[in-house]
Amino acid sequence: QNRLAGVCIEMCKQVLAYPEDCTCPKYKDTTDKSPGVTTWDELNERMDGLSSWGKDSIKSWIKQAQSLAQVKHDQMHMHFSKACSKLDVAHRVQVQNKLAAVCEDTCKAAKVTSKCACPHHLEKGDKTPGPMTWQELLNANWM
């Protein structure tokens, strides 16, 4: 049947009935009726394609950025000096102690000390439980 459809279309071309007047079975005219002009249907189809392309591109860019961020993160940790590390710990201790004091004062003022989960107040040289990480300090939910 496909072979006959091909023959039928060739016959339409020979008698100059192709494409508008071709009546072959299962024949669908796919020629551009408005060359050089974009129709609404063509525009919508193109926009759908751009939308898919944009989503795929963003996914790819995010994956690439995450990969680059991980490489940068790994490089930073390899080059992190002991002096910077000690200074970072000192800053985290300061922030943690300040947050602990503010948290305790707020809980006392609100009379909800039993419901508070304030960070541990660290003394100089105190290693247990140790200072919280920056991530823990930034994401903590103490009240």
Side-chain angles (χ1 to χ4, degrees), residues 45-133:
E45 191 175 316
R46 178 75 173 138
M47 295 299 283
D48 288 342
L50 286 173
S51 176
S52 297
W53 171 83
K55 288 175 186 174
D56 292 342
S57 294
I58 289 171
K59 285 179 190 175
S60 170
W61 296 336
I62 289 171
K63 188 182 271 188
Q64 187 178 18
Q66 288 170 336
S67 175
L68 291 173
Q70 183 62 44
V71 168
K72 182 67 175 169
H73 181 264
D74 293 346
Q75 287 175 347
M76 279 182 22
H77 283 290
M78 288 187 324
H79 296 99
F80 213 76
S81 70
K82 288 182 181 180
C84 288
S85 181
K86 286 181 183 179
L87 191 58
D88 178 63
V89 170
H91 287 142
R92 283 188 285 132
V93 167
Q94 287 175 334
V95 171
Q96 183 172 335
N97 286 341
K98 185 67 166 178
L99 288 172
V102 170
C103 180
E104 290 165 5
D105 292 344
T106 304
C107 290
K108 286 176 188 172
K111 297 181 178 146
V112 290
T113 53
S114 63
K115 294 180 183 177
C116 287
C118 296
H120 177 71
H121 190 79
L122 298 172
E123 301 298 327
K124 275 218 184 273
D126 187 6
K127 297 288 185 205
T128 41
M132 298 170 78
T133 65

Side-chain angles (χ1 to χ4, degrees), residues 1-2 5 23-28:
Q1 198 172 12
N2 288 338
T23 58
C24 297
K26 296 187 181 182
Y27 169 73
K28 183 178 179 189

